[in-house]
Amino acid sequence: MSNDEKALFSAVDALLEQVAQDPLPPPAERKRLREAAGLGQDQIAKALKARRESVGNWEAGRSEPRPPKRAAYARLLEGLAERFPAPAIEAPAPAEAPLVPEAFTGPTEPAVQAPAPEPARAPAATASAPVRAASTTRPKSSSRRPGAKKAAKTATTTAEASPAVVDPRFENGPLAVIDVADGVVSAYCVGGLVLDVPAKTLPALVDWTLTEARLGQARLHRNGRDADPILVLTAAALERFGLPAALSEEERRHGRLADSHKVAKQIERAGLQLTKRGLGPWARLFREPEGSRRRCVQLCILPWNALDVREWGRRDDPQLLLTMHPADLARYLGLYAERVMTPRGTTATTGLELMVALRPPTRAEKDETTGEFKPAFNDDALTHRYPVVECEVPDEHPVLKGKFARHHMRTPAEMLMEEPYDWCRPLTDEECANQFLVTVDINMSFAAAANGLTVGLNEPTHMTNPTFDAALPGSWLVDLSHVDLARVFGRTVDVSRLPSPFTPKGDRPTGPAWYATPTVAYAVQLGFDVAPIEAYVRTQTGRYLDRWYKRLRDAYIATMADMGVTTDLEGPEFLDAMARSKSVDPTMALLATAIKATAKGGIGKLRQRSRGQVPYYEEYPALKRETWRPDIRAAVLAAQRVGLHRKLMKTAASAGVYPVAIGTDAIVYPSPGPSPLDILPLTDEGKPVPGTFRLGVSPGMVKHQGTQTVLWAEQQFEERGGVFNIANSIKTDQSAGEGE
């Protein structure tokens, strides 16, 4: 081929690329093809010279690729479609699940079933409401009420999305809000659907849910189990079904309705069973399973404070959830179920359950000899309760009984004290010349720290005088008092104005102390020699929290996008969008808060402490979980703290600005102006300096938390005697919680 012909063909190819506007596969199909090929969004982004966030937006339907990337993306999808054709859609068989709900405490072992196929993944909805395929079948005793269309209108936005394939067993969504109006009991479901409920008693309501309501949620992992349907009971529903509007003081103390109550007697006569928690704010009612089919319904009783306002609502409006329209409440909780998982109680409990749902401990394995399925443990999950390590457990743990005096305060050499920063220092004269104190807050900092973190999955191994190995997660007794950051950064950074990375209070270590692997690894990365005295390490390792992080990350980014804050916004545009976000859709604002609380609370649950319901040094319920792993929590918190310190050092070295206070993930900087743009360093091209804090919505990036004056801070220090961390008191939104 001559050069002229090559030039002509190149010109024609360029024209074809420009006009390549044939419809691309639907967003859900794009994601299915990528996952079927085992490709990550970052791999596709690298091949197309695009951002990972852009690929995510294409798969979520929030945006479309533009030429010349569109033609290349279309070619990729076409090639993947040839290799991985879409499977024929069939009604799935009834779910194979354990014979008894996980909350059951009886001795019965779950039946072993063949593994279920991977559930079909619905695309992230661009609308604020969940997207479901139109159903052609109806429960026999249910119908659309005349007000169904009106309810649907209040529960959707103007944005539309392509319908997604839904498991017909759960065609009405994961949950329903049960309310009573004009004597009619109604079940408000996701998508604005309203069902008539014929039940007149609570047992009848449970049976209707199990037989006709078609509520529930498909498993998140093929080796997991489907989520039980949830009924959210309003105050009107409680009155209708004979339940009290509030628990008595004694009942609140026990967390359940008295067994002598008439409704408890109704449940017993109807042959329904309750778990040991009884009929409380979150109650499970069940009948004996039919084969492999669970028959369990969970109640969420709103007036009994099932949804804690600090996690699910707004602190400045404690009655919000009680007064919210049932359709709006169904939309809120339904979206949470779609993007995170069906709620299981508090956001912390749900966060922990999400870890298990994405990394099930067991799978079904076929016995080649008998042809039957038997249980087998998954290597990438937490599968057993192992002996605990004394330095890793809280003070009330039974293993410490008789080790210390009753009120002894354990030292860092006796206890692993990996916690987030709680640090504050006086302002220098130079810093007092600034007018403002600007606080930036790290988005979902604990979840971001968990991303890519290697944790231990098996029992601890004790070692004496070991050589430090950053690849081994665990706890190390080592002296880091010799680590002097001034020796490394003294010419570029005034380390006296920065906290130490090795202690939560920012003080320099004074002797041997227990540290998690990320903390010791940071000292090694800074160039210091370490000589551990003792260690407890885990040799079977894995990135247990990666799927958990990605699920929460995608949920948070999708929710913020619904509020007008997308991943492509930077600088002033991002700050403006964040300032407007909560007024765009109040329900989405609640959802974003709940997702953040799920991330933070899930990490905290890994080392849940005794709530005082048992005597000191006696075993409490949380200790019976395979997921009670204080070493994993310590590793996440250590990774969060040292990661924050890296950015503090980079910011100080590149811009000469130093924090005056840090509270968990909120960092306070003296500033000549009221905006983060006045302090965060930029390159000559106007981009954030690599390794420093960057404004953005993704986890690990920062947003503006609030601004106060230096004069205000000095007044606070005088009034409180200087023992005061100002970081979490500088907030634009005073209803927000502390940290994330």
Side-chain angles (χ1 to χ4, degrees):
M1 184 182 292
S2 66
N3 291 335
D4 290 341
E5 288 177 321
K6 290 181 179 179
L8 289 173
F9 275 94
S10 297
V12 170
D13 288 341
L15 289 174
L16 289 174
E17 190 173 77
Q18 291 179 13
V19 299
Q21 296 296 322
D22 290 338
L24 294 171
E29 178 66 5
R30 304 171 197 176
K31 183 176 181 180
R32 186 195 70 81
L33 290 171
R34 175 180 60 77
E35 292 180 340
L39 298 174
Q41 291 181 348
D42 53 346
Q43 292 176 281
I44 294 179
K46 184 177 181 180
L48 299 180
K49 296 182 179 180
R51 298 171 64 240
R52 184 194 63 77
E53 290 82 357
S54 298
V55 177
N57 288 337
W58 301 343
E59 292 183 354
R62 289 190 287 271
S63 65
E64 293 291 319
R66 297 181 180 180
K69 294 182 178 64
R70 182 185 177 93
Y73 188 48
R75 183 176 181 182
L76 170 66
L77 296 176
E78 183 179 357
L80 294 178
E82 292 178 359
R83 295 191 182 188
F84 308 100
I89 300 175
E90 299 179 358
E96 298 88 358
L99 287 179
V100 288
E102 69 173 36
F104 295 8
T105 55
T108 307
E109 292 292 331
V112 180
Q113 304 292 339
E118 285 285 0
R121 292 285 189 266
T126 55
S128 297
V131 179
R132 301 190 295 109
S135 173
T136 58
T137 59
R138 305 289 309 151
K140 295 179 182 178
S141 301
S142 306
S143 63
R144 284 193 182 273
R145 291 183 54 194
K149 292 184 179 180
K150 182 177 181 181
K153 184 175 180 180
T154 64
T156 57
T157 63
T158 56
E160 295 292 337
S162 56
V165 177
V166 173
D167 190 324
R169 296 172 299 156
F170 312 127
E171 65 173 350
N172 292 330
L175 53 85
V177 179
I178 307 299
D179 192 42
V180 180
D182 300 326
V184 178
V185 183
S186 304
Y188 290 80
C189 306
V190 297
L193 176 67
V194 183
L195 304 176
D196 285 338
V197 180
K200 293 181 171 58
T201 65
L202 189 62
L205 176 65
V206 172
D207 287 335
W208 172 82
T209 304
L210 292 172
T211 57
E212 300 184 41
R214 297 186 184 178
L215 296 173
Q217 187 177 38
R219 63 197 69 184
L220 298 181
H221 189 282
R222 68 192 302 262
N223 294 324
R225 66 174 180 84
D226 300 327
D228 297 321
I230 287 187
L231 301 180
V232 183
L233 303 184
T234 65
L238 292 189
E239 182 180 359
R240 175 60 178 263
F241 294 117
L243 290 167
L247 296 177
S248 67
E249 183 176 348
E250 182 178 356
E251 290 171 337
R252 284 198 303 271
R253 188 166 59 251
H254 290 90
R256 57 189 291 172
L257 190 70
D259 293 338
S260 58
H261 193 276
K262 63 178 182 179
V263 175
K265 296 294 185 182
Q266 279 181 355
I267 293 171
E268 183 179 357
R269 288 196 299 270
L272 285 167
Q273 300 179 57
L274 285 162
T275 61
K276 282 190 174 182
R277 285 187 298 180
L279 187 57
W282 287 91
R284 285 184 183 274
L285 290 85
F286 65 95
R287 292 191 181 279
E288 291 298 327
E290 291 181 346
S292 62
R293 178 172 169 266
R294 288 164 58 93
R295 297 194 295 169
C296 182
V297 174
Q298 187 162 9
L299 302 183
C300 169
I301 304 179
L302 275 182
W304 296 359
N305 197 34
L307 298 178
D308 194 316
V309 68
R310 295 169 297 179
E311 303 169 347
W312 298 98
R314 288 182 58 89
R315 296 182 182 223
D316 59 346
D317 188 1
Q319 299 299 311
L320 175 63
L321 297 175
L322 296 176
T323 58
M324 186 181 289
H325 190 280
D328 292 330
L329 187 60
R331 174 196 174 211
Y332 168 30
L333 297 178
L335 266 177
Y336 180 91
E338 176 192 348
R339 295 179 178 179
V340 181
M341 71 179 299
T342 302
R344 299 288 180 88
T346 65
T347 53
T349 297
T350 305
L352 189 70
E353 291 292 334
L354 181 62
M355 297 179 194
V356 178
L358 296 173
R359 301 272 192 186
T362 59
R363 69 183 188 279
E365 187 174 75
K366 190 173 184 179
D367 188 322
E368 298 299 334
T369 305
T370 64
E372 297 180 353
F373 285 91
K374 61 181 181 180
F377 291 108
N378 291 317
D379 293 335
D380 63 350
L382 301 177
T383 58
H384 294 84
R385 291 175 58 195
Y386 295 111
V388 297
V389 178
E390 289 184 12
C391 69
E392 295 174 349
V393 301
D395 294 335
E396 67 273 16
H397 195 281
V399 77
L400 298 180
K401 187 173 184 178
K403 299 286 184 180
F404 305 102
R406 178 68 172 82
H407 298 289
H408 173 74
M409 298 293 291
R410 286 194 286 168
T411 66
E414 298 168 334
M415 180 181 183
L416 180 65
M417 295 184 179
E418 294 287 15
E419 300 291 341
Y421 273 126
D422 180 12
W423 171 82
C424 188
R425 66 170 175 83
L427 279 71
T428 65
D429 292 340
E430 179 185 357
E431 290 167 340
C432 287
N434 292 284
Q435 183 178 356
F436 298 101
L437 293 175
V438 174
T439 304
V440 293
D441 177 79
I442 303 175
N443 298 321
M444 297 179 69
S445 63
F446 296 143
N451 182 33
L453 182 67
T454 300
V455 301
L457 301 176
N458 64 340
E459 73 278 358
T461 299
H462 181 250
M463 298 189 298
T464 303
N465 298 322
T467 301
F468 176 70
D469 186 350
L472 290 178
S475 303
W476 307 78
L477 180 62
V478 59
D479 190 349
L480 298 180
S481 60
H482 66 287
V483 176
D484 184 4
L485 299 183
R487 284 166 39 196
V488 181
F489 303 101
R491 295 182 180 180
T492 57
V493 175
D494 181 2
V495 297
S496 67
R497 290 198 278 172
L498 290 172
S500 166
F502 306 120
T503 62
K505 293 295 184 181
D507 303 324
R508 183 170 172 174
T510 58
W514 286 100
Y515 301 99
T517 298
T519 302
V520 186
Y522 187 47
V524 174
Q525 291 168 9
L526 294 175
F528 295 93
D529 294 329
V530 297
I533 304 167
E534 193 179 354
Y536 290 90
V537 298
R538 279 85 178 171
T539 54
Q540 180 187 341
T541 64
R543 293 166 59 166
Y544 177 74
L545 296 171
D546 274 12
R547 292 178 185 171
W548 178 82
Y549 160 75
K550 291 174 182 176
R551 178 83 176 176
L552 292 172
R553 175 201 65 194
D554 293 346
Y556 181 69
I557 290 177
T559 302
M560 295 304 295
D562 287 338
M563 298 164 65
V565 186
T566 56
T567 55
D568 56 346
L569 296 179
E570 298 179 349
E573 291 182 343
F574 168 74
L575 293 176
D576 291 343
M578 284 297 298
R580 297 190 304 267
S581 61
K582 291 194 175 183
S583 60
V584 171
D585 190 333
T587 302
M588 290 298 104
L590 291 177
L591 181 58
T593 300
I595 292 170
K596 291 186 291 185
T598 302
K600 181 180 179 181
I603 296 299
K605 273 280 186 178
L606 292 169
R607 195 196 70 158
Q608 181 176 333
R609 304 194 64 174
S610 171
R611 296 176 178 173
Q613 70 267 33
V614 294
Y616 219 66
Y617 296 134
E618 295 296 328
E619 187 164 295
Y620 49 95
L623 302 182
K624 298 178 181 179
R625 300 193 315 251
E626 291 81 3
T627 51
W628 194 84
R629 289 293 300 272
D631 58 299
I632 297 180
R633 173 189 178 272
V636 173
L637 269 57
Q640 187 266 355
R641 195 183 64 252
V642 299
L644 174 54
H645 190 268
R646 284 192 186 96
K647 294 189 176 183
L648 295 175
M649 298 291 288
K650 286 280 188 180
T651 303
S654 59
V657 293
Y658 296 87
V660 296
I662 305 174
T664 307
D665 49 18
I667 308 101
V668 182
Y669 278 105
S671 172
S675 169
L677 298 174
D678 297 313
I679 53 170
L680 298 183
L682 302 175
T683 63
D684 294 338
E685 293 77 23
K687 298 294 183 180
V689 174
T692 64
F693 298 107
R694 178 177 178 178
L695 288 171
V697 71
S698 297
M701 295 185 178
V702 299
K703 60 181 179 293
H704 184 206
Q705 177 170 290
T707 298
Q708 272 290 0
T709 64
V710 171
L711 183 61
W712 170 88
E714 292 297 336
Q715 183 179 355
Q716 296 295 316
F717 287 136
E718 288 182 10
E719 292 178 356
R720 307 194 185 202
V723 186
F724 173 59
N725 189 340
I726 61 175
N728 287 307
S729 295
I730 303 178
K731 296 177 182 177
T732 300
D733 181 8
Q734 294 300 325
S735 67
E738 180 176 339
E740 292 182 5

